[in-house]
Amino acid sequence: MISYDCDANGTYTPEEVIQGVISKCARQLGNPSSTHRGGQRAKATVEEARAAVRRLVGAYPGDTVIFTSGATEANNTIVASCARQSGRMVSTLIEHPCILEPLKRLLAEGRDVALVAPDAGCRISPEAIFEVLTPDTALVSVMAANNEVGVINPMLEIVRAVRQRAPHAVIHSDAAQFVGKVASDMQELGVDVMTLSAHKLGALSGTGVIVAREGISIAPLLVGGAQEGKLRGGTENVLGIAVLGAVADLIRLDLTRRISAMRIARDTFEDEIVRALPGCEVNAQSGLRLPNTTSLYIPGVRADDLIVALDLAGVLISSGAACSSGKPEPSHVLMAMGQASSRIRSTVRVSFRADSERSEILQVVTVFKRAVARMI
């Protein structure tokens, strides 16, 4: 039984919303490409969700909204699409692997790829981006907010730097962790393309989104069907898309309160946990961060062991390290920040929902303290 979900950046699903959408979709889970009544009902559901996503991210009516299987497919699509053009591909060392891996593949094939390092606070500076730009740069991809540390990048300033030196570049931002946690939209960021993940917003896993400004050309990664304006072949995940649409409207109408509630939860946790655990530190605490995310260094404790111990006690958190074939690898984000391996392996990520109660947070701190005491 899960008592406290403190991995809200990874998954958070309001059950009552999902149940309502499932009940509705059970009557209309047809193929949106079919011309019969059931298919047209499904198509209408998809279009309603598309409009809801457009409202949430502040897209214009003429902007393109494409549903995918997740942010990984969405980000791979953008990289592959821009790679069709000649010129440099620019990104950062702190991106999600679904950006870094396709770029590394291009680099191995001889493509000109530049990856910018963050500062010690995990911030990507406009000056650092400006330095690696060339006039023929095809793509600049910078995440709006980091998924591990929560630092928010100065996207508007980065966009200005790119427009100055590489006016023809497509500017993309992986906004999977940003949207729904910050009161800023696509127009304010100034980017050409934004990608999202449904389950990072609290909807179901298995749905992602590409939002592209009118006039930006997107080459499909998956072909073989005319779905999504011929930009993503394959029958749409109607249920996943419908839940995303419902969650998008809920977030948009309640965003100010949600941001405040998440920030109070995070700040309460950080204040209490630093007092409870001598020597622990919050990574990038002085920078501009997401309101709900804490990257916490706890000396003398292995992150993977702490995650297991807390899980057994009913508290879900995540690690700053990814696992491949059961072998823990240091977080590439924390490494890019210049942190030592010993510190990286003792860092965990804690992230809070908008409905987190103070009493719950204090209990989580108590569970943390007990678990750490048994491990040191």
Side-chain angles (χ1 to χ4, degrees):
M1 176 67 69
I2 298 171
S3 299
Y4 305 106
D5 180 3
C6 296
D7 187 23
N9 277 349
T11 176
Y12 162 43
T13 305
E15 184 175 350
E16 65 278 6
V17 174
I18 290 179
Q19 290 301 327
V21 176
I22 289 175
S23 297
K24 176 183 175 182
C25 286
R27 302 187 296 272
Q28 55 188 47
L29 275 179
N31 186 330
S33 297
S34 298
T35 57
H36 55 60
R37 196 180 316 166
Q40 292 308 295
R41 283 199 299 264
K43 181 178 180 179
T45 296
V46 170
E47 295 309 315
E48 289 170 6
R50 201 185 312 276
V53 170
R54 182 175 279 111
R55 290 190 293 268
L56 175 64
V57 303
Y60 288 129
D63 293 345
T64 301
V65 177
I66 308 165
F67 290 118
T68 68
S69 64
T72 292
E73 182 192 329
N75 286 335
N76 271 254
T77 297
I78 299 307
V79 172
S81 180
C82 291
R84 295 187 173 208
Q85 307 298 319
S86 61
R88 173 169 285 189
M89 310 284 280
V90 174
S91 190
T92 83
L93 290 172
I94 61 170
E95 301 298 312
H96 191 278
C98 63
I99 285 288
L100 289 175
E101 291 304 317
L103 286 175
K104 289 177 180 178
R105 180 184 296 177
L106 290 172
L107 182 62
E109 295 171 354
R111 189 64 184 261
D112 183 9
V113 176
L115 298 177
V116 173
D119 61 22
C122 201
R123 178 180 182 270
I124 301 296
S125 74
E127 294 78 14
I129 294 292
F130 188 81
E131 287 179 3
V132 302
L133 294 172
T134 56
D136 68 341
T137 297
L139 170 69
V140 177
S141 180
V142 180
M143 58 172 31
N146 184 260
N147 54 304
E148 291 190 21
V149 180
V151 169
I152 298 172
N153 283 314
M155 291 306 303
L156 185 57
E157 290 82 359
I158 289 172
V159 168
R160 288 171 179 163
V162 176
R163 300 294 187 212
Q164 181 178 346
R165 178 168 281 189
H168 302 296
V170 172
I171 305 175
H172 162 255
S173 187
D174 177 348
Q177 296 290 0
F178 182 84
V179 172
K181 301 183 182 78
V182 180
S184 177
D185 60 28
M186 186 174 179
Q187 306 309 324
E188 292 173 342
L189 292 181
V191 299
D192 297 316
V193 184
M194 174 185 285
T195 45
L196 310 175
S197 173
H199 70 277
K200 303 300 183 185
L201 288 165
L204 297 175
S205 300
T207 303
V209 186
I210 299 171
V211 184
R213 286 184 183 275
E214 186 174 10
I216 296 297
S217 177
I218 304 292
L221 184 67
L222 299 182
V223 296
Q227 294 89 353
E228 297 302 293
K230 298 184 179 180
L231 294 175
R232 197 273 183 183
T235 302
E236 293 92 343
N237 173 8
V238 178
L239 178 58
I241 291 170
V243 172
L244 172 57
V247 170
D249 273 338
L250 281 178
I251 290 175
R252 179 179 58 85
L253 296 172
D254 193 32
L255 184 57
T256 300
R257 185 203 64 82
R258 288 171 58 88
I259 292 172
S260 176
M262 288 186 287
R263 181 173 289 111
I264 290 171
R266 182 202 66 186
D267 291 350
T268 298
F269 173 78
E270 291 181 354
D271 291 344
E272 295 294 333
I273 200 72
V274 168
R275 279 198 289 266
L277 301 177
C280 77
E281 299 175 9
V282 177
N283 289 311
Q285 188 172 19
S286 62
L288 183 63
R289 293 181 295 153
L290 294 174
N292 74 322
T293 303
T294 297
S295 176
L296 188 68
Y297 163 59
I298 307 175
V301 172
R302 286 187 61 89
D304 295 334
D305 294 339
L306 180 58
I307 290 169
V308 173
L310 291 176
D311 187 17
L312 293 173
V315 175
L316 300 185
I317 65 168
S318 60
S319 173
C323 292
S324 176
S325 301
K327 298 180 180 180
E329 297 295 335
S331 160
H332 71 284
V333 172
L334 299 178
M335 287 180 64
M337 293 169 60
Q339 295 193 3
S341 295
S342 58
R343 181 182 176 108
I344 294 173
R345 295 187 189 279
S346 295
T347 296
V348 295
R349 185 187 71 178
V350 187
S351 46
F352 298 95
R353 294 159 43 158
D355 60 353
S356 299
E357 299 287 344
R358 178 178 174 82
S359 59
E360 295 176 338
I361 295 167
L362 296 179
Q363 182 61 36
V364 167
V365 171
T366 298
V367 175
F368 255 87
K369 188 174 180 179
R370 291 172 181 168
V372 170
R374 289 194 297 267
M375 298 172 67
I376 295 180

